[in-house]
């Protein structure tokens, strides 16, 4: 898709993206024939009698760019018969009144384009148990008397909301440009990842970038955003809220936040003025932690924090691993805590850096209920050193795909807390007017077929120090907390202990 999505100051589903095939301007080889008259616009939509597979494009890049999926996985994808269904071998003619307002007429074309993409790709073939063809005509009639493009886009958003999927949505050309900038790793804003909580519909903070204005102001993961610049956020999606948070460096934005974890306190709701700054999203931060094993040996543990699955994440990860290997690292901690996701391709590319052979990385489930495994082909890991992956409730989408791939293939132990639970993949298509359509095109389950959506992934070990095996071991690790703030992190301590266990027992990894 992520969504992802999890974007920056943007929706989990944005940065959490998930995947985005670079579809052509003639979506899915469709043949269009349009006849205009003074009062109506007839469009005939006919799919090819032999639909062509779009699976090779299923998990690729954002917009019109292409993110290199590792060659082995791309080969595995190329044979998948996606959307090969008789349901698409049919012609439909729809008629609707042409708006007299030029800008609304442009959005009418966008509506037909979005409707067609959803008709062919949306994961639920019942379209939330409604007549999707009739929905197009109803929306066109509602759009006809409008006078502005904004109002017309609102009608499209209303139509998409009837699908019952918060991750399927449309964003304006301006919003899409902001989204692409964020995916490239550069933006001007306050440093918040936000997401719509599916059960409540509230906008919640998934994480804050270290040292960002939001982090310095004491905004925390789980806080609910109530207002931005005095405007209530009821009914706002995460991208619309993110757009209000972003802005030129040097300006400021006022937010009202609710601390759900401290809801009984008088200070649970507060208003904070945040300066906007230039924020560089570097997806990787790393360091080498000197480590003394229980038998007295000095070793090196490579700590790698992956904050988001951006376009550069896989390349940066490979460079980091190779550099650490040359420096004599003996084990690794991969920190995916508060990583809201991003490009699915990046997650799969990173997974292959730790695995050998023809392992399954993830299983996708299409709209017909068919399970389609995505496998490596003759993979070669960059390192075979023991690995622990840190996860928590802020780990979502591509983070969950990566954690599941490494865990279910026996490559890593998971330490931390249960993940967010986003088991859906979105595609992103740039439409003719520069807007973008996000569509949930598949569900996914882990290689061992564990469901993730609204369930999450449970760690093997909770990151509490009382999980250590003996008082002596706990004391040895606890005494290291004065060395650095990183080593004072209880999850790091537990991860180091798990690495000691793997190395002492010769556990294969």
């Amino acid at each position: 898709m992520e969504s992802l999505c999890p974007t920056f100051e943007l929706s989990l589903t944005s940065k959490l993206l998930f995947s985005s095939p670079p579809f052509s301007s003639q979506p899915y080889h469709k043949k269009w024939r349009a006849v205009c008259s003074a009062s109506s616009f007839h469009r005939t939509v006919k799919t090819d009698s032999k639909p062509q597979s779009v699976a090779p494009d299923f998990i690729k890049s954002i917009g019109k760019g292409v993110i290199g999926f590792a060659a082995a996985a791309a080969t595995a994808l190329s044979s998948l018969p996606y959307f090969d269904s008789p349901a698409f071998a049919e012609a439909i003619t729809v008629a609707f009144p042409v708006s007299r307002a030029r800008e609304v007429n442009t959005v009418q074309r966008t509506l037909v384009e979005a409707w067609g993409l959803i008709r062919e790709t949306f994961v639920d073939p019942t379209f939330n148990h409604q007549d999707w063809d009739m929905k197009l005509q109803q929306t066109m009639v509602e759009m006809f008397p409008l006078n502005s493009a904004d109002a017309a886009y609102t009608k499209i958003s209303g139509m998409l909301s009837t699908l019952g999927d918060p991750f399927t949505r449309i964003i304006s050309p301006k919003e899409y440009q902001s989204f692409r900038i964020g995916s490239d790793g550069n933006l001007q804003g306050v440093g918040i990842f936000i997401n719509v909580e599916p059960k409540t519909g509230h906008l919640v903070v998934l994480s804050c970038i270290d040292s960002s204005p939001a982090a310095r102001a004491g905004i925390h993961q789980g806080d609910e955003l109530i207002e931005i610049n005095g405007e209530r956020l009821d009914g706002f999606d995460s991208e619309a809220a993110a757009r209000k948070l972003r802005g030129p460096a040097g300006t400021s934005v006022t937010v009202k936040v609710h601390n759900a974890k401290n809801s009984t306190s008088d200070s649970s709701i507060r208003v904070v003025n945040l300066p906007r700054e230039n924020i560089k999203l570097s997806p990787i931060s790393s360091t080498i932690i000197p480590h003394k094993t229980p038998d007295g040996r000095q070793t090196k543990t490579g700590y790698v924090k992956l904050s988001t699955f951006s376009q550069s994440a896989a390349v940066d990860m490979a460079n980091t691993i190779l550099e650490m290997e040359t420096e004599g690292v003996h084990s690794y901690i991969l920190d995916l805590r508060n990583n809201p996701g991003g490009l699915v391709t990046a997650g799969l590319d990173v997974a292959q850096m730790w695995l050998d052979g023809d392992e399954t990385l993830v299983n996708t489930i299409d709209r017909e209920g068919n399970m389609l495994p995505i496998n490596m082909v003759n993979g070669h890991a960059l390192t075979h050193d023991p690995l622990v992956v840190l996860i928590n409730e802020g780990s979502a989408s591509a983070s969950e795909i990566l954690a599941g791939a490494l865990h279910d293939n026996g490559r890593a132990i998971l330490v931390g807390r249960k993940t967010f639970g986003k088991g859906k993949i979105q595609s992103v298509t740039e439409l003719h007017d520069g807007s973008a359509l996000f569509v949930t095109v598949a569900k996914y389950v882990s290689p061992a077929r564990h469901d993730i959506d609204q369930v999450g992934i449970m760690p093997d070990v909770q990151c509490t120090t009382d999980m250590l095996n003996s008082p002596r071991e706990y004391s040895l690790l606890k005494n290291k907390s004065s060395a650095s703030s990183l080593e004072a992190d209880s999850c790091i301590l537990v991860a180091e202990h798990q690495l000691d266990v793997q190395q002492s027992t010769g556990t294969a990894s």
Side-chain angles (χ1 to χ4, degrees):
M1 203 215 78
E2 218 41 34
S3 164
L4 36 144
C5 224
T7 342
F8 189 58
E9 256 138 59
L10 32 109
S11 65
L12 176 62
T13 60
S14 293
K15 197 121 180 142
L16 177 248
L17 243 284
F18 11 89
S19 64
S20 56
F23 300 116
S24 69
S25 59
Q26 298 291 329
Y28 304 119
H29 309 282
K30 298 178 74 68
K31 296 177 180 178
W32 301 83
R33 177 170 59 83
V35 179
C36 289
S37 65
S39 60
S40 65
F41 186 16
H42 298 266
R43 186 164 284 216
T44 298
V45 181
K46 180 177 177 58
T47 60
D48 291 342
S49 59
K50 294 182 179 180
Q52 306 211 7
S53 170
V54 298
D57 290 333
F58 176 56
I59 299 181
K60 284 201 187 291
S61 65
I62 197 160
K64 292 184 178 179
V66 174
I67 300 242
F69 189 29
T75 302
L77 277 172
S78 64
S79 62
L80 300 181
Y82 227 74
F83 307 128
D84 187 7
S85 169
F88 302 125
E90 58 182 324
I92 296 173
T93 300
V94 293
F96 51 87
V98 175
S99 172
R100 295 180 178 86
R102 182 183 296 273
E103 62 183 62
V104 174
N105 181 246
T106 298
V107 182
Q108 284 183 309
R109 291 180 56 203
T110 300
L111 170 60
V112 174
E113 193 175 2
W115 166 84
L117 287 167
I118 290 170
R119 189 173 186 275
E120 287 200 359
T121 66
F122 185 59
V123 67
D124 175 11
T126 73
F127 308 105
N128 200 21
H129 306 286
Q130 62 180 331
D131 187 332
W132 191 239
D133 300 342
M134 180 63 70
K135 199 68 183 178
L136 171 66
Q137 298 189 39
Q138 292 174 347
T139 306
M140 280 296 181
V141 171
E142 294 173 3
M143 192 179 287
F144 176 69
L146 302 178
N147 296 313
S148 72
D150 288 343
Y153 273 114
T154 298
K155 288 297 181 183
I156 298 179
S157 295
M159 182 182 76
L160 300 183
S161 69
T162 67
L163 293 169
D165 173 42
F167 304 118
T168 295
R169 68 196 195 283
I170 191 170
I171 60 176
S172 69
K174 184 177 180 179
E175 291 172 323
Y176 183 49
Q177 289 304 311
S178 296
F179 168 78
R180 295 185 68 173
I181 291 171
S183 296
D184 290 339
N186 298 279
L187 59 83
Q188 295 179 332
V190 299
I192 302 178
F193 288 97
I194 59 177
N195 183 52
V196 175
E197 211 289 319
K199 294 182 180 178
T200 65
H202 295 164
L203 285 164
V204 296
V205 175
L206 196 62
S207 64
C208 296
I209 292 295
D210 292 341
S211 301
S212 67
R216 297 196 304 267
I219 294 177
H220 301 290
Q221 177 230 330
D223 287 353
E224 178 189 342
L225 292 183
I226 301 173
E227 295 179 1
I228 298 176
N229 286 336
E231 183 177 1
R232 294 281 301 183
L233 298 177
D234 300 331
F236 273 65
D237 64 29
S238 49
E239 179 59 33
R243 188 160 54 97
K244 289 183 173 294
L245 291 171
R246 293 190 290 262
T251 62
S252 63
V253 60
T254 300
V255 298
K256 180 182 284 188
V257 297
H258 174 231
N259 185 337
K261 296 181 180 178
N262 194 26
S263 58
T264 59
S265 169
D266 294 337
S267 61
S268 63
I269 296 180
R270 62 193 182 105
V271 177
V272 184
N273 186 262
L274 300 173
R276 295 186 177 105
E277 299 176 357
N278 290 307
I279 297 176
K280 173 65 177 177
L281 277 178
S282 178
I284 300 282
S285 58
S286 63
T287 190
I288 294 177
I289 304 174
H291 178 60
K292 188 173 184 179
T293 63
D295 61 5
R297 292 182 297 110
Q298 290 290 340
T299 65
K300 295 179 179 180
T301 296
Y303 170 83
V304 184
K305 182 172 180 60
L306 179 57
S307 61
T308 184
F309 291 87
S310 64
Q311 295 185 19
S312 66
V315 172
D316 291 351
M317 177 65 72
N319 291 337
T320 299
I321 294 173
L322 293 174
E323 181 179 347
M324 286 188 165
E325 286 293 293
T326 63
E327 296 187 30
V329 163
H330 301 92
S331 59
Y332 287 87
I333 298 172
L334 175 59
D335 193 345
L336 298 179
R337 291 176 297 178
N338 298 321
N339 181 328
L343 299 172
V344 168
T345 37
L348 297 175
D349 284 343
V350 171
Q352 294 178 91
M353 297 174 192
W354 304 91
L355 294 167
D356 289 317
D358 303 328
E359 305 286 11
T360 296
L361 300 175
V362 70
N363 293 296
T364 64
I365 302 174
D366 67 13
R367 60 191 282 160
E368 306 300 330
N370 301 312
M371 185 171 294
L372 309 171
I374 298 176
N375 299 329
M376 299 193 305
V377 177
N378 194 27
H380 297 283
L382 298 181
T383 177
H384 296 92
D385 292 330
L387 172 66
V388 166
V389 176
L390 301 182
I391 54 174
N392 69 359
E393 57 276 9
S395 308
S397 192
S399 289
E400 293 171 296
I401 288 177
L402 174 57
L406 297 177
H407 177 267
D408 288 2
N409 287 301
R411 181 63 179 89
I413 292 175
L414 303 183
V415 169
R417 297 188 293 274
K418 187 175 72 170
T419 62
F420 180 83
K422 180 180 181 290
K424 295 177 179 176
I425 296 174
Q426 286 73 46
S427 69
V428 185
T429 305
E430 182 175 351
L431 306 180
H432 78 279
D433 64 348
S435 62
L437 181 69
F438 293 66
V439 184
T440 296
V441 294
K443 300 175 183 177
Y444 66 82
V445 295
S446 74
R449 302 189 178 185
H450 296 140
D451 195 8
I452 294 172
D453 196 46
Q454 300 187 44
V455 176
I457 298 174
M458 287 297 298
D460 298 301
V461 183
Q462 298 284 332
C463 63
T464 54
T465 47
D466 58 7
M467 299 301 293
L468 297 172
N469 288 339
S470 73
R472 177 179 178 275
E473 289 169 341
Y474 170 72
S475 177
L476 286 172
L477 292 176
K478 185 179 179 182
N479 290 337
K480 296 174 59 178
S481 63
S482 60
S484 69
S485 58
L486 185 64
E487 292 180 327
D489 185 329
S490 64
C491 291
I492 301 293
L493 301 182
V494 175
E496 288 184 308
H497 172 72
Q498 292 299 319
L499 291 171
D500 286 341
V501 171
Q502 286 189 59
Q503 292 174 311
S504 65
T505 60
T507 302
S509 62

